[in-house]
Amino acid sequence: MGNNRQMILNFFMNSTGFHETAWRHPLAEPEGVTSLALYKKMALIAEQAKFHTVFLADAYELGEKVKHQALSRLEPYTLLVALAAVTERIGLVATVSTSYTEPFHTARLFASLDHLSGGRAGWNIVTTGIGNTHLNFSREQNFEHTERYNRALEFVELTTKLWDSWEDDALLFNKADGLYADPDKIHAIKHKSDNFSVEGPLNLPRPPQGYPVLAQAGSSEDGKELAARTGELIYTAQQTLKDAQTFYADVKSRVAKYGRDPEEVKIVPGFSLIVGATEAEAKEKEAELRESIIPELGLKRLSSRLKVDLFSYPLDGPVPQLPDPATINENRSRFELMKNMIESEQLTIRQLIERASGGNGHRTFAGTAVQVADEMEEWFTKAACDGFVIRPQQLPTGLEDFARLVVPELQRRGLFHTEYKGRTLRENLGLSRPVNQFARKTFEAGGIHQL
Amino acid sequence: MGNNRQMILNFFMNSTGFHETAWRHPLAEPEGVTSLALYKKMALIAEQAKFHTVFLADAYELGEKVKHQALSRLEPYTLLVALAAVTERIGLVATVSTSYTEPFHTARLFASLDHLSGGRAGWNIVTTGIGNTHLNFSREQNFEHTERYNRALEFVELTTKLWDSWEDDALLFNKADGLYADPDKIHAIKHKSDNFSVEGPLNLPRPPQGYPVLAQAGSSEDGKELAARTGELIYTAQQTLKDAQTFYADVKSRVAKYGRDPEEVKIVPGFSLIVGATEAEAKEKEAELRESIIPELGLKRLSSRLKVDLFSYPLDGPVPQLPDPATINENRSRFELMKNMIESEQLTIRQLIERASGGNGHRTFAGTAVQVADEMEEWFTKAACDGFVIRPQQLPTGLEDFARLVVPELQRRGLFHTEYKGRTLRENLGLSRPVNQFARKTFEAGGIHQL
């Protein structure tokens, strides 16, 4: 790691913030959930603050808790495209599942977004371990954990083939000779396996970035392997410096094992933040959000996640014994993380609800810009991360606070850039442009892959 | 049809125009194919001219003719979303296939676009009859013609259930009581058949238009039935006034047969245009495009469409005998239309290539604004259509010509509106807002469906 190393900041966006009931906050704008205006405002604040990316998560089912929780959302790829049209520099990362989409469609969508945005697209690859999603897709059951990850790996390889199916110089636009494209530089991919059979080529040119940036959040054993083989931007939930350092070293060494440069993989833990001008103000904001908590919602959510019926235990008593992580199919790593947190901190059910409401398993913190920057600096300089996913507990004001207070503090310390240095997201993240696997001659000559 | 009846105009958009080799024209901008700028420019011209919609077609395979033809394209839904973010009034219609997508995803995408655009979305429902598309989607063969249409009908019914799965007033945003939504107004759909099994509900609120406008282009027997049952905006290719009148009466009577109001279905034939300030200028533009023709491309394209090897016949000799339409699985109605045109006009192969290059089966016309308006007026007033799909043979200039010359002429004659009258696309097309099938009490009371 060089001396000029600076952190990567990603803004995790939703309509009202990442505290579970932040939509109840007086400054929240839940009515904005389906209109562009609210998201556009936030994307422009994030771009002004020089965030590397705006990131949107997804789920393919509503979930049961919409009575109390802001679960309604626009399809995130759609929203990201609209934001591409109204921003200029910020990266745009959306979640799309490898278990419930077609590789041809997914490759084409992200290629289209990459073109339209001038090389600012990123794809958060998820395998969708959530409960009843399969029931919305004519499937009797979800894929089992390992099968899901095997499919995901093949899916990603397949999409890279589709992106590479056009060499970078395949388009000719030669009006005089009537040559629109060079068919020798457009390749069928002829992918065939038990999971997928895709002939190719794609029906649009290779994305400006070669491939959109590949983001990934798996933290289970399977998840870390997938991240090590395919991921470039790794999202993770880490509660302590030590755990984050262990995860960081683990993933970087796995990356090396697959012959990849560990510098080409950026690890960015989530940080669920409340920022105040003073410590008292931060604590006051934290208390406001704590008051919005609906215990019934927390019990429902955590009972489902932890696979134990918390309704039958006293709210101020200890969390009961949890099942063995090996028996968990969905989001196993988050389960383990929460189990460890509960056991090491001996949380009561009420305390657990408060912790989980603010961060959903991610680290929570409330403080001044200096305190927040201190925390971030420590993690960043002690080999625990390459940057962060900023999850403001309350939106849009939490983003405004971070942009106004924390970003200048980080910049003052030299920890964060003051301007976008590249044109593409890859350039801004310090990731190289992938070599085209079908342009063999170019490849062997050590050619054009670093455009 | 009332006296104040005015025509619906749709702008069919692609990068360089609808003449097959228009990309070779000196004023064509083929390099703009993957960037937003060219499309944004055209969408704003179309909006300024008060076109009801901008429409984008699609295909899920590249096709073999990319050497000579501008076949590369952005995924149209993506492009439409980007255009939604930079326009305010024009409707936005994109093609998505019912044979190669999931109902849950498709319902969600168009609902998201409808929200983001403030009720301007339309979905062109296609069944994808094209050659080798199935090879890009892990399928050994395409669905057979009738099966494709049966699936399409079920798919559309299913997506309407998903759009209706949230009643219009399901969202509460009640901060004080912690009630985000009313779960009694959000419904599982529990759709189950051999084709699809979808539990629902959708994970976002009902679209502003209730449903996005449903466009459809099937002109075969199966296609017309699907249009009559589900379509609201019907695209069609018609060469003569008489054929157009027959089609118009046929579809409108089928609509009535299903208990729908024929006024709720708008029929808009394609019109492949070249407009000049004078007739001489129009003919000169036509000649320029004729010179761009690559005979080899025309032979390849037509041999594939007509299922006969035209390469083995003399270019200036007659078109050979064509197969029986009943043997054609893909795009059967277009096949029949071209067969009729060839036989009634006794075209040589070269003449056929020229005709097909300009219109791809749609009616072609080159003339002044007055001549074009005369043609349109005749069709419109003689019960042949409710409007048109304008397919400029050359883009972007052909759109500029139409907007500058033909639109004012139509407006002078009172045949075309001078301002958007509604906020949503439905309102501008004169289509009512669908009743929510799950809001039974409201429905029975004759309630809120005409918002």
Side-chain angles (χ1 to χ4, degrees):
Chain A
M1 301 174 198
N3 283 330
N4 297 322
R5 187 173 164 260
Q6 290 186 312
M7 50 176 78
I8 291 163
L9 290 188
N10 309 279
F11 165 47
F12 197 5
M13 182 193 274
N14 68 10
S15 56
T16 54
F18 290 89
H19 187 284
E20 196 168 71
T21 42
W23 70 269
R24 298 183 68 189
H25 193 279
L27 296 174
E29 304 172 24
E31 299 83 356
V33 61
T34 49
S35 70
L36 183 55
L38 174 63
Y39 306 105
K40 180 177 171 179
K41 176 172 75 178
M42 291 193 278
L44 291 174
I45 293 169
E47 187 170 66
Q48 185 67 29
K50 316 299 177 196
F51 272 90
H52 290 77
T53 71
V54 53
F55 164 52
L56 295 164
D58 200 13
Y60 298 155
E61 62 174 330
L62 179 60
E64 289 166 28
K65 294 166 288 291
V66 70
K67 182 176 177 183
H68 298 303
Q69 202 183 354
L71 289 180
S72 151
R73 67 171 109 202
L74 293 169
E75 193 281 322
Y77 174 79
T78 303
L79 178 51
L80 217 59
V81 171
L83 294 177
V86 296
T87 57
E88 291 179 358
R89 306 298 297 273
I90 197 166
L92 305 154
V93 185
T95 296
V96 168
S97 168
T98 55
S99 296
Y100 295 104
T101 67
E102 290 283 346
F104 192 88
H105 288 319
T106 299
R108 202 174 164 222
L109 291 177
F110 281 101
S112 295
L113 177 60
D114 207 45
H115 281 294
L116 273 183
S117 65
R120 296 187 284 138
W123 168 27
N124 178 33
I125 302 156
V126 303
T127 65
T128 311
I130 295 171
N132 288 318
T133 303
H134 58 280
L135 298 181
N136 286 332
F137 296 93
S138 304
R139 288 186 57 88
E140 286 183 17
Q141 51 191 38
N142 198 351
F143 299 103
E144 176 275 324
H145 197 275
T146 300
E147 187 191 0
R148 240 166 49 217
Y149 279 92
N150 288 340
R151 277 179 65 94
L153 180 61
E154 185 184 342
F155 192 113
V156 175
E157 286 173 354
L158 214 173
T159 51
T160 66
K161 286 189 205 170
L162 286 168
W163 290 321
D164 285 341
S165 64
W166 292 55
E167 297 187 34
D168 288 309
D169 54 353
L171 281 168
L172 301 173
F173 304 130
N174 180 338
K175 291 181 178 180
D177 298 331
L179 299 172
Y180 184 80
D182 180 350
D184 292 337
K185 294 192 171 171
I186 302 175
H187 308 277
I189 69 165
K190 296 182 186 299
H191 182 100
K192 240 186 170 58
S193 78
D194 291 344
N195 293 322
F196 302 107
S197 160
V198 178
E199 177 76 10
L202 205 57
N203 54 356
L204 79 168
R206 194 167 192 246
Q209 296 187 101
Y211 312 155
V213 170
L214 301 177
Q216 224 263 309
S219 292
S220 64
E221 189 59 28
D222 290 330
K224 282 187 282 197
E225 282 294 289
L226 182 64
R229 291 173 75 161
T230 69
E232 299 178 301
L233 188 62
I234 310 298
Y235 305 132
T236 180
Q238 301 294 336
Q239 286 287 336
T240 68
L241 176 64
K242 191 167 160 295
D243 286 349
Q245 288 167 328
T246 305
F247 179 82
Y248 188 87
D250 182 8
V251 171
K252 294 266 177 172
S253 78
R254 288 177 200 244
V255 166
K257 181 181 78 180
Y258 288 110
R260 300 177 63 203
D261 178 355
E263 292 287 314
E264 295 274 334
V265 177
K266 309 297 185 185
I267 298 172
V268 287
F271 212 9
S272 284
L273 285 178
I274 296 168
V275 184
T278 62
E279 193 172 337
E281 188 186 296
K283 297 298 173 197
E284 193 181 299
K285 287 179 180 181
E286 192 177 33
E288 279 172 9
L289 285 170
R290 198 182 303 120
E291 275 162 34
S292 74
I293 289 176
I294 300 164
E296 187 198 333
L297 172 64
L299 290 170
K300 208 162 172 179
R301 208 164 137 77
L302 288 162
S303 295
S304 156
R305 168 149 280 171
L306 300 176
K307 305 290 173 205
V308 66
D309 178 16
L310 295 175
F311 284 91
S312 52
Y313 295 88
L315 207 53
D316 290 303
V319 179
Q321 181 66 37
L322 301 181
D324 181 346
T327 64
I328 303 296
N329 184 28
E330 52 186 87
N331 217 336
R332 187 183 292 166
S333 59
R334 193 64 59 85
F335 176 87
E336 282 189 282
L337 179 146
M338 295 187 76
K339 189 172 196 274
N340 291 341
M341 182 176 82
I342 292 160
E343 288 169 3
S344 70
E345 303 187 29
Q346 306 214 346
L347 299 177
T348 66
I349 292 179
R350 191 189 299 277
Q351 287 167 335
L352 173 62
I353 289 173
E354 289 175 6
R355 283 289 286 279
S357 297
N360 190 23
H362 287 272
R363 185 166 183 227
T364 56
F365 190 82
T368 64
V370 168
Q371 289 170 328
V372 170
D374 285 349
E375 293 293 320
M376 293 173 74
E377 181 167 4
E378 184 179 24
W379 282 42
F380 181 67
T381 55
K382 290 187 176 167
C385 66
D386 297 306
F388 298 89
V389 173
I390 302 302
R391 307 162 43 98
Q393 291 198 30
Q394 206 269 307
L395 285 173
T397 55
L399 172 66
E400 289 160 3
D401 293 339
F402 188 90
R404 187 170 43 88
L405 300 170
V406 182
V407 166
E409 178 63 25
L410 293 171
Q411 287 168 333
R412 233 181 332 264
R413 298 181 190 193
L415 292 169
F416 187 55
H417 65 185
T418 52
E419 191 44 83
Y420 294 106
K421 298 194 174 68
R423 289 313 306 185
T424 69
L425 176 56
R426 283 189 176 276
E427 288 167 359
N428 285 319
L429 293 177
L431 300 172
S432 62
R433 189 172 188 274
V435 175
N436 189 321
Q437 62 197 289
F438 293 110
R440 284 297 166 206
K441 278 181 192 151
T442 310
F443 176 71
E444 282 160 18
I448 56 161
H449 63 290
Q450 305 277 355
L451 288 182
Chain B
M1 302 171 195
N3 284 329
N4 297 321
R5 186 171 165 261
Q6 290 187 313
M7 51 176 76
I8 290 163
L9 291 187
N10 308 279
F11 165 46
F12 197 3
M13 181 192 274
N14 69 10
S15 58
T16 55
F18 290 90
H19 186 285
E20 195 168 74
T21 42
W23 71 268
R24 298 182 68 189
H25 192 280
L27 295 175
E29 304 172 24
E31 299 83 357
V33 63
T34 49
S35 70
L36 183 54
L38 175 62
Y39 305 105
K40 180 177 171 179
K41 176 171 74 177
M42 291 193 280
L44 290 174
I45 293 169
E47 188 170 65
Q48 184 69 28
K50 318 298 177 195
F51 272 91
H52 290 78
T53 72
V54 53
F55 164 53
L56 295 164
D58 199 15
Y60 298 155
E61 61 173 332
L62 180 60
E64 289 167 27
K65 294 165 288 290
V66 69
K67 181 175 179 185
H68 297 305
Q69 202 183 353
L71 289 181
S72 150
R73 67 171 108 202
L74 293 170
E75 193 280 321
Y77 175 81
T78 304
L79 178 51
L80 216 59
V81 171
L83 294 177
V86 297
T87 57
E88 292 179 358
R89 306 298 296 274
I90 196 166
L92 306 154
V93 185
T95 296
V96 168
S97 170
T98 55
S99 296
Y100 295 105
T101 66
E102 290 283 346
F104 192 88
H105 288 319
T106 299
R108 202 171 165 226
L109 291 176
F110 281 100
S112 296
L113 177 60
D114 206 45
H115 281 294
L116 274 182
S117 64
R120 295 187 285 138
W123 168 27
N124 178 33
I125 302 156
V126 302
T127 66
T128 310
I130 295 171
N132 288 317
T133 304
H134 58 280
L135 298 180
N136 286 332
F137 295 92
S138 303
R139 288 186 57 86
E140 287 184 16
Q141 50 191 37
N142 197 353
F143 300 103
E144 175 275 325
H145 197 274
T146 300
E147 188 190 0
R148 241 170 43 220
Y149 279 92
N150 289 341
R151 277 178 65 94
L153 179 61
E154 186 184 343
F155 192 113
V156 175
E157 286 173 355
L158 214 173
T159 51
T160 66
K161 287 187 205 172
L162 287 167
W163 290 322
D164 285 340
S165 64
W166 292 55
E167 297 187 33
D168 288 309
D169 55 352
L171 282 168
L172 300 173
F173 304 131
N174 180 338
K175 289 181 179 181
D177 298 331
L179 299 172
Y180 184 79
D182 180 351
D184 292 338
K185 295 193 171 172
I186 302 175
H187 308 277
I189 68 164
K190 297 183 183 300
H191 182 101
K192 240 186 169 61
S193 78
D194 290 347
N195 293 322
F196 302 106
S197 160
V198 178
E199 178 75 10
L202 206 58
N203 54 356
L204 79 167
R206 193 165 192 246
Q209 297 187 101
Y211 312 156
V213 171
L214 300 177
Q216 224 263 308
S219 291
S220 65
E221 190 60 27
D222 290 331
K224 282 187 282 196
E225 282 294 289
L226 182 65
R229 293 173 74 161
T230 69
E232 298 178 302
L233 188 61
I234 310 298
Y235 305 134
T236 180
Q238 301 293 336
Q239 287 286 335
T240 67
L241 175 64
K242 190 166 160 296
D243 285 350
Q245 288 168 327
T246 305
F247 178 83
Y248 188 85
D250 181 8
V251 171
K252 294 267 176 169
S253 77
R254 287 177 201 245
V255 167
K257 182 181 78 180
Y258 289 109
R260 300 178 63 204
D261 178 356
E263 292 288 311
E264 295 275 333
V265 176
K266 308 298 185 185
I267 297 173
V268 288
F271 213 11
S272 284
L273 286 178
I274 296 169
V275 184
T278 62
E279 191 170 336
E281 189 187 294
K283 297 296 171 196
E284 194 183 299
K285 287 180 179 179
E286 192 177 32
E288 279 173 9
L289 285 170
R290 198 183 303 121
E291 273 162 35
S292 74
I293 289 176
I294 301 164
E296 186 198 334
L297 172 63
L299 289 170
K300 209 162 170 179
R301 204 162 141 76
L302 288 162
S303 294
S304 156
R305 167 148 278 172
L306 301 176
K307 305 292 174 201
V308 65
D309 179 15
L310 295 174
F311 284 90
S312 51
Y313 296 87
L315 206 53
D316 290 302
V319 179
Q321 182 66 36
L322 301 181
D324 181 346
T327 64
I328 303 298
N329 183 28
E330 52 187 89
N331 217 336
R332 188 184 293 167
S333 59
R334 193 64 59 86
F335 175 87
E336 284 188 280
L337 180 146
M338 295 188 77
K339 188 170 196 275
N340 291 343
M341 182 177 82
I342 291 160
E343 288 169 4
S344 70
E345 303 187 29
Q346 305 214 346
L347 299 176
T348 66
I349 292 178
R350 190 188 299 277
Q351 287 166 335
L352 173 63
I353 290 172
E354 288 175 7
R355 283 289 285 281
S357 297
N360 189 24
H362 287 272
R363 186 165 181 228
T364 56
F365 190 84
T368 63
V370 168
Q371 289 171 327
V372 170
D374 286 347
E375 293 292 321
M376 292 172 75
E377 182 168 3
E378 185 180 24
W379 282 42
F380 180 66
T381 56
K382 291 187 175 166
C385 66
D386 298 306
F388 298 89
V389 173
I390 302 301
R391 309 162 41 99
Q393 291 198 30
Q394 206 268 309
L395 285 173
T397 55
L399 172 66
E400 289 161 3
D401 293 339
F402 188 89
R404 188 169 42 87
L405 300 170
V406 182
V407 166
E409 178 63 24
L410 293 171
Q411 288 169 332
R412 234 182 329 266
R413 299 181 189 194
L415 293 169
F416 187 55
H417 64 185
T418 53
E419 191 44 84
Y420 294 106
K421 296 190 178 70
R423 290 312 306 185
T424 69
L425 176 55
R426 280 186 180 278
E427 288 167 359
N428 285 319
L429 293 177
L431 300 171
S432 62
R433 189 171 187 273
V435 175
N436 189 321
Q437 62 198 287
F438 293 109
R440 285 296 165 204
K441 279 178 196 155
T442 310
F443 176 71
E444 282 157 20
I448 57 161
H449 63 289
Q450 305 277 352
L451 289 181

